[in-house]
Amino acid sequence: MGEEEGLHQTPLLDTMFVRGLKRKCFDGEEDIEGTLAGIKAIPSYNLQRQSLLDMSLVKLQLCHMLVEPNLCRSVLIANTVRQIQEEMTQDGTWQMINTQSTGQTSLDRLVSTDILCRSSREQAEGKQVPGYSSFNKDFEDDQTQDSSETMSTSSSVQTPRNLQSNVWEMENPQESRGNFQKSLDQIFETLENKNPNSVEDLFSEVDNSYYDLDTMLTGMMSNTKMGHCDGLETFSSPTTATSNSNCKSDLNELDHIVEILVES
Amino acid sequence: MASHFHAFQLFFPSLRAGGGNDIQWCFSQVKGAVDDDVAEADIISTVEFNHSGELLATGDKGGRVVIFQQEQENKTQSHSRGEYNVYSTFQSHEPEFDYLKSLEIEEKINKIRWLPQKNAAQFLLSTNDKTIKLWKISERDKRPEGYNLKEEDGRYRDPTTVTTLRVPVFRPMDLMVEASPRRIFANAHTYHINSISINSDYETYLSADDLRINLWHLEITDRSFNIVDIKPANMEELTEVITAAEFHPNSCNTFVYSSSKGTIRLCDMRASALCDRHSKLFEEPEDPSNRSFFSEIISSISDVKFSHSGRYMMTRDYLSVKIWDLNMENRPVETYQVHEYLRSKLCSLYENDCIFDKFECCWNGSDSIVMTGSYNNFFRMFDRNTKRDITLEASRENNKPRTVLKPRKVCASGKRKKDEISVDSLDFNKKILHTAWHPKENIIAVATTNNLYIFQDKMN
């Protein structure tokens, strides 16, 4: 089912990660097959690494469910995120990103992609589904493209997020980002017994009817349906965001996440 | 003549009787529903033989424990050992709700551990994420009849109607197996319990969660001692969790715990009350040529088991099984690759979360063979003496008892030979996480998602 699809869709992602780290040392090293391949490899590697980073952040986000998240899994994913961040810092990608202008946080967009991709049943059961199969398809199909691909993907999920925000009365992107961070907090804070209700925190600005679990889940489900349809319609409107600002906003988020990830 | 035979054996070690023989595994039984549609509650979450091997316990996601008992060997049927039949079924844990955190506590049984038998009754510990319970399983096959003051159905007789007296006698009845909870060890774990292990003193046991290990006395439920605590003062600094723990089979002061970073720490409880400082740290240096973003995740140890002798311990990480000599900390003495062909698929396995699957492993009774599960309902055995390994499949297609199981092979790349299966065709939904080996015989229990398979070696 999903697992088999996943394996078929990301064979190149897998190969990149097996070989990718050697390419990291591309500074006149001789282990690249040809200079052309080497030049193409670098943006591709960055994209794949970015994709892994995004995937990891989405996985961390999926913790605001009824059953306590698996701490081991969360820690391993968080460590992977840190590793990527460290590598990006060493690469200089980090500094380059920081000089770019602000863009909409792609994390929020990614969060909503995943929520949209999940079936209503899985939402109700709190399962974690890789909502990433469609996202990765983009990368698999167009290995060598860079920014244009990322652009269209980002824009397609941007609008659904806004719709979702409307339903939950969170129109301010800053607030949504704050709530995203808060939900990351829940990964560890819940276990710390500090915040009594992770779900409550996530929807803290929402009216009381959402405290009723059924209403909330129904709301999410109907919202999902809405968002998905509208998302497809607005697919054609690209933003001016470049792939760099995409990375950049991610890394800003990373700063926050590393601070907040396991808040004491 | 005898000397020729000995020489012959030296050249052909597989003919030597005992551990060197290549075992021919045959299907024996399968328990569980036939449908492909798996009910969530039926997912098997733990499998464990008792110390004699006569009883086999399974726990499932629905919080139930099912115990199978081996039939007494039939003298006329010398070609097979007794079958395992249901002995007792009971609901061990119920779903709970933590009102403080507004989170459900799953009733899934994470581990079952048997106590050695001391009297007619059997005892086992079963645990979910938060609570450990001691269960007593006892048989009743007689009942008293002929009371003076009670009717047979239990109603009380009017004493004035009694004219004669008689002595009640025990009469046989259909065997009834009762399970009753004798102790409940609760409220000692903030995080999810992943392991329980009974000490060789048979009086104490440990329970381990992601960050702490507690020591209990089997008689005392309102108190436990914290012996390991790796929770950092600042949770931001958390980068490593405890994944498994076990007491040494012979030294009652020694236990080990494994971590998500691929390390194993051996601790001595005599050293201090809080065993935060290990006596030994087992860690293999990383292979730089295999380094990737997934290196740490695949190095996370999912299970640790001491050998019966106590001289070795075995660890399972995502791709391999390692045997460690307790006297050598810097590297394992043996490493066996379970499914190396998955190394190039790690990103996909990360995406679909399979990379976080926790496989268990087990020793055979003589510590000469180790076994662990894989995907596609495959399981693997490694013979430590002959260095041979085998891949078998738990499937209803090999349903005939005494049919020898056909070895399986996965084709990693290139041209697929006949009867081989390619990596991309593997079913990652069919995972064998739990296996158990009879303590004395060549009988194994292999759990697929919701079925329990029992295999035996071919007896001639």
Side-chain angles (χ1 to χ4, degrees):
Chain A
M1 200 199 87
E3 281 74 7
E4 281 159 19
E5 281 172 18
L7 277 183
H8 287 301
Q9 281 170 5
T10 56
L12 288 158
L13 212 78
D14 286 320
T15 5
M16 282 315 299
F17 277 109
V18 167
R19 300 189 316 226
L21 280 158
K22 286 188 191 151
R23 293 209 158 89
K24 181 175 88 145
C25 310
F26 173 74
D27 271 341
E29 299 264 348
E30 60 279 66
D31 59 322
I32 308 296
E33 285 98 40
T35 47
L36 194 63
I39 289 162
K40 274 190 177 173
I42 286 187
S44 210
Y45 173 78
N46 280 349
L47 267 182
Q48 304 290 21
R49 181 175 61 185
Q50 181 64 43
S51 153
L52 180 64
L53 174 64
D54 295 340
M55 199 195 302
S56 305
L57 293 169
V58 169
K59 281 182 183 297
L60 286 175
Q61 165 70 2
L62 295 179
C63 296
H64 51 81
M65 285 295 142
L66 293 171
V67 179
E68 253 177 307
N70 183 329
L71 185 61
C72 181
R73 180 178 173 276
S74 303
V75 166
L76 289 171
I77 298 170
N79 289 351
T80 308
V81 166
R82 272 196 208 98
Q83 245 187 72
I84 297 173
Q85 183 206 5
E86 275 164 26
E87 194 185 272
M88 282 172 122
T89 313
Q90 282 167 19
D91 265 0
T93 334
W94 187 276
Q95 277 102 26
M96 181 173 70
I97 298 317
N98 274 339
T99 62
Q100 298 288 334
S101 56
T102 333
Q104 172 139 17
T105 60
S106 63
L107 286 168
D108 293 339
R109 293 195 294 265
L110 291 162
V111 164
S112 54
T113 313
D114 180 79
I115 289 172
L116 290 168
C117 290
R118 275 186 281 162
S119 72
S120 52
R121 200 196 92 195
E122 280 151 354
Q123 277 181 325
E125 288 179 302
K127 279 214 193 112
Q128 297 171 12
V129 166
Y132 233 81
S133 42
S134 56
F135 194 70
N136 280 330
K137 238 191 186 132
D138 295 331
F139 284 111
E140 195 203 0
D141 293 340
D142 301 295
Q143 281 297 313
T144 52
Q145 284 183 32
D146 40 5
S147 47
S148 54
E149 196 58 47
T150 325
M151 256 163 54
S152 49
T153 318
S154 333
S155 65
S156 72
V157 302
Q158 201 172 331
T159 318
R161 175 62 184 172
N162 292 334
L163 283 169
Q164 200 167 39
S165 305
N166 286 337
V167 174
W168 291 341
E169 295 171 40
M170 292 187 289
E171 292 191 318
N172 187 347
Q174 279 310 109
E175 276 179 15
S176 10
R177 185 210 282 215
N179 281 315
F180 173 72
Q181 287 171 355
K182 276 186 201 165
S183 65
L184 277 180
D185 292 353
Q186 301 321 313
I187 296 164
F188 300 110
E189 276 194 16
T190 315
L191 304 162
E192 281 282 70
N193 224 346
K194 281 212 167 113
N195 288 329
N197 189 335
S198 61
V199 173
E200 270 174 9
D201 263 350
L202 190 60
F203 306 129
S204 55
E205 259 109 32
V206 170
D207 67 71
N208 286 337
S209 66
Y210 283 93
Y211 284 7
D212 176 25
L213 197 61
D214 287 333
T215 320
M216 180 188 78
L217 288 172
T218 319
M220 276 167 77
M221 283 186 260
S222 55
N223 174 46
T224 300
K225 257 167 123 180
M226 237 177 16
H228 192 61
C229 296
D230 281 272
L232 290 170
E233 284 167 15
T234 56
F235 192 92
S236 51
S237 56
T239 63
T240 51
T242 62
S243 66
N244 280 340
S245 71
N246 179 20
C247 296
K248 186 264 174 188
S249 38
D250 282 343
L251 294 167
N252 274 338
E253 281 302 313
L254 264 177
D255 269 341
H256 286 288
I257 286 159
V258 169
E259 279 170 23
I260 292 160
L261 204 63
V262 245
E263 199 182 89
S264 55
Chain B
M1 196 54 191
S3 61
H4 285 303
F5 186 57
H6 286 305
F8 194 66
Q9 282 186 318
L10 283 170
F11 283 112
F12 297 95
S14 60
L15 296 178
R16 227 181 284 136
N21 268 341
D22 265 3
I23 302 170
Q24 290 189 300
W25 290 102
C26 305
F27 171 84
S28 174
Q29 296 171 271
V30 60
K31 308 280 186 194
V34 187
D35 323 326
D36 280 340
D37 209 13
V38 180
E40 184 114 354
D42 293 340
I43 295 173
I44 298 173
S45 49
T46 185
V47 181
E48 188 83 356
F49 279 100
N50 76 336
H51 291 255
S52 66
E54 186 204 353
L55 298 177
L56 175 60
T58 61
D60 65 25
K61 207 164 176 205
R64 291 165 303 194
V65 171
V66 180
I67 302 176
F68 301 92
Q69 183 189 41
Q70 191 179 29
E71 267 173 20
Q72 290 308 306
E73 267 179 52
N74 196 329
K75 300 290 185 245
T76 61
Q77 282 193 317
S78 58
H79 56 260
S80 71
R81 297 185 188 80
E83 277 200 345
Y84 282 85
N85 299 315
V86 177
Y87 177 67
S88 173
T89 305
F90 57 93
Q91 187 75 34
S92 171
H93 288 70
E94 299 276 3
E96 283 173 49
F97 196 77
D98 181 339
Y99 290 96
L100 205 59
K101 298 183 198 168
S102 283
L103 292 168
E104 280 182 10
I105 299 172
E106 284 192 299
E107 65 273 31
K108 172 168 72 84
I109 308 295
N110 293 336
K111 286 284 175 350
I112 289 173
R113 290 287 182 261
W114 289 93
L115 264 76
Q117 191 172 11
K118 284 194 283 194
N119 52 38
Q122 300 279 356
F123 287 87
L124 61 78
L125 284 176
S126 71
T127 186
N128 69 348
D129 285 339
K130 300 284 183 177
T131 305
I132 307 130
K133 295 187 184 181
L134 176 69
W135 287 89
K136 177 180 177 183
I137 297 109
S138 47
E139 288 184 6
R140 200 194 291 218
D141 60 357
K142 296 186 265 292
R143 65 157 185 249
E145 280 178 23
Y147 282 102
N148 293 293
L149 293 174
K150 261 199 305 194
E151 303 283 1
E152 289 310 321
D153 58 10
R155 280 179 307 155
Y156 281 96
R157 261 192 209 151
D158 179 356
T160 56
T161 64
V162 176
T163 52
T164 60
L165 288 179
R166 55 187 174 163
V167 177
V169 291
F170 275 101
R171 297 218 183 279
M173 58 177 257
D174 288 339
L175 178 67
M176 203 164 73
V177 181
E178 299 170 321
S180 59
R182 304 305 278 180
R183 304 270 186 278
I184 297 181
F185 306 90
N187 302 319
H189 286 277
T190 309
Y191 304 100
H192 291 178
I193 298 173
N194 52 55
S195 312
I196 46 175
S197 176
I198 298 170
N199 204 348
S200 50
D201 65 9
Y202 301 144
E203 284 185 352
T204 56
Y205 74 95
L206 63 77
S207 58
D209 66 30
D210 295 312
L211 297 179
R212 298 190 177 102
I213 302 179
N214 293 331
L215 180 72
W216 302 83
H217 192 286
L218 284 164
E219 299 293 325
I220 300 168
T221 59
D222 61 355
R223 199 174 339 148
S224 73
F225 291 100
N226 177 241
I227 53 177
V228 173
D229 188 339
I230 65 167
K231 183 178 170 194
N234 186 355
M235 277 294 267
E236 269 179 41
E237 292 159 14
L238 180 67
T239 56
E240 191 174 9
V241 300
I242 297 169
T243 52
E246 193 175 62
F247 264 118
H248 190 276
N250 308 320
S251 303
C252 58
N253 52 278
T254 307
F255 66 93
V256 293
Y257 68 93
S258 60
S259 83
S260 55
K261 285 198 169 167
T263 64
I264 309 102
R265 287 173 174 78
L266 185 142
C267 300
D268 186 335
M269 294 196 293
R270 296 170 300 189
S272 69
L274 187 62
C275 301
D276 272 356
R277 291 216 318 234
H278 50 264
S279 301
K280 295 194 186 189
L281 174 67
F282 299 83
E283 187 173 15
E284 182 172 27
E286 201 180 354
D287 176 6
S289 66
N290 265 338
R291 178 121 183 81
S292 75
F293 284 122
F294 306 109
S295 293
E296 185 183 313
I297 299 177
I298 63 169
S299 74
S300 175
I301 292 172
S302 51
D303 194 15
V304 64
K305 292 264 170 51
F306 277 105
S307 63
H308 294 90
S309 63
R311 174 149 175 227
Y312 298 99
M313 66 178 174
M314 164 168 55
T315 56
R316 174 69 154 97
D317 50 69
Y318 190 62
L319 297 179
S320 67
V321 160
K322 295 178 181 171
I323 314 275
W324 303 79
D325 184 322
L326 292 190
N327 298 316
M328 188 158 75
E329 297 167 62
N330 57 356
R331 60 177 176 81
V333 289
E334 294 155 39
T335 302
Y336 301 103
Q337 300 303 333
V338 181
H339 35 218
E340 182 69 11
Y341 46 78
L342 296 183
R343 192 180 288 275
S344 57
K345 307 284 178 192
L346 292 178
C347 195
S348 306
L349 295 163
Y350 179 71
E351 184 192 9
N352 63 19
D353 267 8
C354 281
I355 207 174
F356 301 107
D357 285 337
K358 290 188 187 291
F359 292 94
E360 292 173 9
C361 54
C362 62
W363 298 85
N364 73 340
S366 59
D367 297 337
S368 60
I369 308 178
V370 296
M371 170 168 67
T372 190
S374 178
Y375 293 104
N376 210 69
N377 282 347
F378 287 171
F379 57 101
R380 306 260 286 135
M381 291 188 207
F382 303 93
D383 189 321
R384 299 176 64 212
N385 298 325
T386 65
K387 300 301 180 199
R388 281 205 285 270
D389 61 83
I390 190 170
T391 305
L392 297 171
E393 183 179 357
S395 118
R396 283 177 184 270
E397 283 165 24
N398 311 320
N399 248 346
K400 288 202 293 230
R402 298 179 65 209
T403 319
V404 177
L405 294 179
K406 196 173 86 172
R408 295 279 179 220
K409 191 139 171 27
V410 177
C411 167
S413 57
K415 203 159 187 292
R416 186 176 73 86
K417 297 196 192 76
K418 180 178 171 283
D419 284 350
E420 283 187 358
I421 178 166
S422 76
V423 183
D424 295 319
S425 314
L426 293 174
D427 188 342
F428 287 82
N429 278 325
K430 295 186 178 169
K431 44 194 99 173
I432 292 179
L433 303 174
H434 313 287
T435 59
W437 203 306
H438 190 290
K440 300 179 170 79
E441 316 261 6
N442 282 332
I443 302 175
I444 55 176
V446 173
T448 59
T449 308
N450 64 334
N451 285 171
L452 183 72
Y453 286 78
I454 299 173
F455 301 103
Q456 299 183 6
D457 70 354
K458 191 180 174 75
M459 289 171 79
N460 295 313

